[in-house]
Amino acid sequence: MEDAQYATEEGADALGFIFYPDSPRYITPAAAGRIIRSLPAHVMTVGVFVNTPRKQISNIVSETDLQAIQLSGDESPSDCLGFDIPVIKAFRFQTMSDLDLAGDYSVSGILLDGHRAGAYGGTGMAVDKSIGRAAARRYPLILAGGLTPGNIVESVREIDPIAVDVNSGVEKAPGRKDFQKISLLFRNLRKLNLEI
C-alpha cells in the first residue's frame, strides 16, 4: 500500500500488480484489490499475468477492478482477444525479425522487455536499443527492461516509447520499492518533459 501511494504521489500514471505466483513480486488478488480501491481515479491499474487461464484472469479482473491486462507469457494472438478491458502483450525480442511477431496480435499496446532465457520479465535486463527504436516506430510501445533513474532519460530519448515500465530499477528488494529511487526517477523524467 505504501509503495503504491508513494509512486502515485510522485507521478506514476499506472501501477502494475503481478499475479504470477512464481514471481517474487506476486500479490494476491485480495491484497491488490485493497490497494486498487485506495488509488486516485486517474491512476491506471494493470494486472500482469503469465500463461494464466482466461477464466482465472476474468475472475481476478472482477475481484480487483483492474483497468488493463498485461499478458507476459507465451500467449497466442487468440489468447489476447475477447477481454472487456485493454490488453498489453509483453515481448522479449532478440532480433529485428522478431518484431514481425507482434503484428499478429490485436492488442492496445506491446511491452518490450529485456530477454533472459527461462524468465518472464523482472530480470533487470536491458532492451537492445536498435530493436527498441524499430519497435517504437511500428507499435504503441511500452519500454521495460533494466530501466533505472540513471538511464531512464537516455532510454526514452533513444527509443521514444509511449510509456515506460520500471520495476527492479526502483527497488531495494524484489517487491519492495526504494522511495529515493522512485523520487529520482520522476525528477529525471520531469527534466525530460521540459525538453519536449
Side-chain angles (χ1 to χ4, degrees), residues 17-30:
F17 297 85
I18 298 177
F19 299 108
Y20 178 47
D22 291 345
S23 170
R25 298 170 184 90
Y26 171 77
I27 187 168
T28 66

Side-chain angles (χ1 to χ4, degrees), residues 73-97:
D74 306 306
E75 298 86 4
S76 70
S78 62
D79 292 332
C80 300
L81 300 175
F83 292 100
D84 294 331
I85 57 177
V87 175
I88 300 159
K89 179 67 182 91
F91 295 95
R92 287 161 286 281
F93 298 137
Q94 298 178 70
T95 67
M96 285 292 186
S97 61

Side-chain angles (χ1 to χ4, degrees), residues 43-143:
V43 176
M44 174 167 273
T45 55
V46 183
V48 180
F49 300 91
V50 175
N51 302 328
T52 306
R54 177 180 294 272
K55 184 167 177 46
Q56 186 178 348
I57 293 173
S58 296
N59 289 342
I60 291 173
V61 168
S62 296
E63 181 180 347
T64 59
D65 296 324
L66 287 166
Q67 296 169 317
I69 297 165
Q70 178 180 312
L71 299 177
S72 292
D74 306 306
E75 298 86 4
S76 70
S78 62
D79 292 332
C80 300
L81 300 175
F83 292 100
D84 294 331
I85 57 177
V87 175
I88 300 159
K89 179 67 182 91
F91 295 95
R92 287 161 286 281
F93 298 137
Q94 298 178 70
T95 67
M96 285 292 186
S97 61
D98 289 342
L99 291 174
D100 294 337
L101 298 173
D104 295 334
Y105 288 78
S106 181
V107 291
S108 297
I110 70 163
L111 180 137
L112 183 56
D113 204 351
H115 172 78
R116 187 172 78 198
Y120 288 110
T123 64
M125 302 293 291
V127 166
D128 179 286
K129 289 199 170 45
S130 61
I131 293 173
R133 280 191 300 272
R137 287 192 296 269
R138 292 176 64 176
Y139 306 109
L141 180 73
I142 301 166
L143 179 64

